[in-house]
Amino acid sequence: MDTKVVKFGGSSLADAAQFRKAADIVLAEPERRFVVASAPGKRFSADIKVTDMLYSCYELAAKGEDFSAAFAAIEERFNSIIADLGLSLSLEKEFSDIKNAFAHRAGRDYAASRGEYLNSIILADFLGYNFVDPAGYIRFDESGSFDLAATLSLLSPKLAQLQNAVIPGFYGSMPNDTIKTFSRGGSDITGSIVASAVNAVIYENWTDVSGFMICDPRIVENPKPIRTITYRELRELAYMGAGVLHEDAIFPVRKAGIPINIRNTNQPEDRGTFIVSETAETSPYIITGIAGKKGFSVIQIEKDMMNAEVGFGRNVLRALEKNNMCFEHMPSGIDTMSVIVSSEALIGKEKSVLDEIVSRCHPDKLEIENNLALIAVVGRGMKKTRGTAGRLFSALAHARVNVKMIDQGSSELNIIIAVEEEDFETATKAIYDMFVLTAEK
Ligand code: ASP
């Protein structure tokens, strides 16, 4: 039988009603044998995620302050789920062990991990599934980096013995067996690891949206969903700030060639977005998605005969390296070069970066321009389509947006443009209208 791995995010397991929806989804298909669970998330927008409650509760404990009220509020979140589901399960023993560990300063990661741990015990009980604690199977190395090879060698044989299991997301353990978490949102990574360990046919990631949208719904109202996206396209969009899935969650399944399907727990009939390595499916539009970010600066350098000066580019980049800075893009002309960097990274280092460039490169003109936004227009379909760039720039010209920089990746998978921050929303809308709305008429 094919095996599917399903992961539920915090909002999908925030209360008993959400637990019921998740359980209906799992039990609807016998292939859904392995379930990865997050800690209870927000039930309403002003609510607090259990993970955040755990962090603040532990902070009190670590300072030696009284944390019993904060801990009781966490117990209450879990107890109300248990009661509302009508389970006879009791977590009293676990609560007292955890409280004790908090008092003995078991560590911030340990504290945060208890949300997924307790929630998974409840979900396993409700589904009648086994419970597997990832502490013994998901391993980090001495330096704190996730160790995929060690993990697969432990987790695959363990899960092969089981018909089904619920596995808490977000954490594993260090070589000395202390608990270590991934970064926030890390249950997505656990789902990907489990999918790879059992060689799943698909990794279903159930959340509160029906997959990725072509563009940010805060900028364009009701944007169209992305039906299928390749890992590479997703990486380009995620880099530019398109959220939903933890960036590191792609790597384990990508390596194993397992597709990811982003689905909506509250609208299980929606098909969601498929993330695949290659696809024969042409996207309905030339572009797959648009994403962007504000907060960039450009360092502009001019020097006569720059093009003939051996090592000029290297000297500019050495100046950044010396200041421990990365660059995002580096478009160049014959006698000009622009280096685009994150403004945040540049703050406080402006003078030392400029001084370094002056002493290494002796430019004729050197200045920093701030308040730029970058927009990535991504699509595997762009390669085959003539006139994409033409349409893009005419859309921007019509919207009266001044384009400050253009960079087309050598893979022809993306075109990145820089605009003034104040033009960011207008530009994004204009691109969406041109490639999605107009394409439908
Ligand atoms: N509960 C953790 C967090 O809020 C991990 C997760 O949900 O993926 O970041």
Side-chain angles (χ1 to χ4, degrees), residues 7 9-10 38-39 49 51-52 112 116 169-170 183-188:
K7 179 257 168 180
S38 279
K49 287 172 138 199
T51 309
D52 291 312
E116 341 310 274
F170 192 35
S183 56
R184 296 299 304 266
S187 298
D188 283 341

Side-chain angles (χ1 to χ4, degrees), residues 82 85-90 119-131 166:
I82 295 174
L85 289 175
L87 299 174
S88 55
L89 173 75
S90 163
N119 222 23
S120 299
I121 295 178
I122 303 176
L123 185 60
D125 192 82
F126 188 51
L127 289 170
Y129 272 32
N130 298 295
F131 169 81
V166 176

Side-chain angles (χ1 to χ4, degrees), residues 407-424:
D407 191 352
Q408 175 166 31
S410 52
S411 57
E412 285 185 60
L413 190 66
N414 63 11
I415 298 177
I416 294 172
I417 55 160
V419 298
E420 303 269 8
E421 278 183 348
E422 59 181 37
D423 287 337
F424 176 61

Side-chain angles (χ1 to χ4, degrees), residues 14-324:
D15 59 19
Q18 292 299 88
F19 260 71
R20 289 209 169 85
K21 290 184 196 168
D24 285 346
I25 290 165
V26 173
L27 301 175
E29 291 188 21
E31 294 85 1
R32 292 184 175 138
R33 292 167 52 205
F34 297 101
V35 182
V36 173
S38 279
K42 294 184 181 195
R43 295 160 292 183
F44 40 90
S45 64
D47 201 11
I48 303 174
K49 287 172 138 199
V50 165
T51 309
D52 291 312
M53 296 170 82
L54 285 160
Y55 278 126
S56 25
C57 178
Y58 185 73
E59 214 168 288
L60 294 174
K63 281 193 267 178
E65 287 173 24
D66 179 15
F67 63 92
S68 45
F71 200 84
I74 296 166
E75 289 183 5
E76 170 48 30
R77 285 288 306 259
F78 290 107
N79 282 337
S80 73
I81 295 173
I82 295 174
D84 293 349
L85 289 175
L87 299 174
S88 55
L89 173 75
S90 163
L91 292 177
E92 290 314 312
K93 164 93 176 61
E94 281 79 10
F95 290 149
S96 100
D97 289 349
I98 295 168
K99 215 171 164 183
N100 198 24
F102 272 39
H104 289 90
R105 317 226 163 126
R108 208 172 166 266
D109 280 19
Y110 166 83
S113 74
R114 296 304 88 183
E116 341 310 274
Y117 172 77
L118 295 167
N119 222 23
S120 299
I121 295 178
I122 303 176
L123 185 60
D125 192 82
F126 188 51
L127 289 170
Y129 272 32
N130 298 295
F131 169 81
V132 172
D133 188 345
Y137 306 97
I138 292 190
R139 304 295 278 185
F140 292 81
D141 65 20
E142 293 289 351
S143 68
S145 302
F146 168 62
D147 187 340
L148 183 64
T151 296
L152 293 181
S153 73
L154 294 162
L155 192 60
S156 295
K158 170 69 185 172
L159 297 181
Q161 296 162 15
L162 301 172
Q163 177 52 35
N164 56 45
V166 176
I167 302 137
F170 192 35
Y171 71 93
S173 56
M174 294 290 289
N176 67 3
D177 289 336
T178 55
I179 297 289
K180 162 123 182 98
T181 62
F182 293 106
S183 56
R184 296 299 304 266
S187 298
D188 283 341
I189 308 173
T190 311
S192 177
I193 295 165
V194 172
S196 161
V198 301
N199 200 12
V201 287
I202 195 150
Y203 165 26
E204 293 179 346
N205 187 297
W206 292 81
T207 174
D208 51 10
V209 289
S210 297
F212 299 111
M213 303 294 133
I214 292 182
C215 124
D216 188 338
R218 286 167 301 188
I219 300 177
V220 169
E221 213 179 308
N222 270 330
K224 302 271 172 207
I226 299 179
R227 289 174 63 85
T228 305
I229 185 167
T230 63
Y231 294 121
R232 286 177 62 209
E233 289 173 311
L234 180 62
R235 167 112 181 90
E236 303 278 354
L237 291 173
Y239 179 70
M240 276 298 176
V244 180
L245 188 71
H246 193 299
E247 245 194 282
D248 298 344
I250 294 173
F251 162 69
V253 277
R254 181 175 185 174
K255 234 180 132 191
I258 301 167
I260 308 175
N261 184 197
I262 309 285
R263 299 283 290 266
N264 188 346
T265 305
N266 305 315
Q267 268 165 270
E269 59 292 347
D270 289 355
R271 173 190 185 274
T273 300
F274 281 86
I275 309 167
V276 299
S277 52
E278 289 298 334
T279 177
E281 185 186 321
T282 43
S283 76
Y285 311 105
I286 297 167
I287 61 165
T288 304
I290 311 162
K293 270 202 283 208
K294 294 183 180 177
F296 293 95
S297 299
V298 56
I299 305 170
Q300 282 165 342
I301 308 153
E302 274 183 42
K303 186 175 185 188
D304 276 348
M305 306 300 288
M306 175 193 288
N307 67 329
E309 195 173 318
V310 175
F312 190 89
R314 190 187 59 146
N315 282 330
V316 171
L317 295 184
R318 284 289 297 275
L320 292 179
E321 190 183 340
K322 197 115 189 270
N323 284 280
N324 200 18

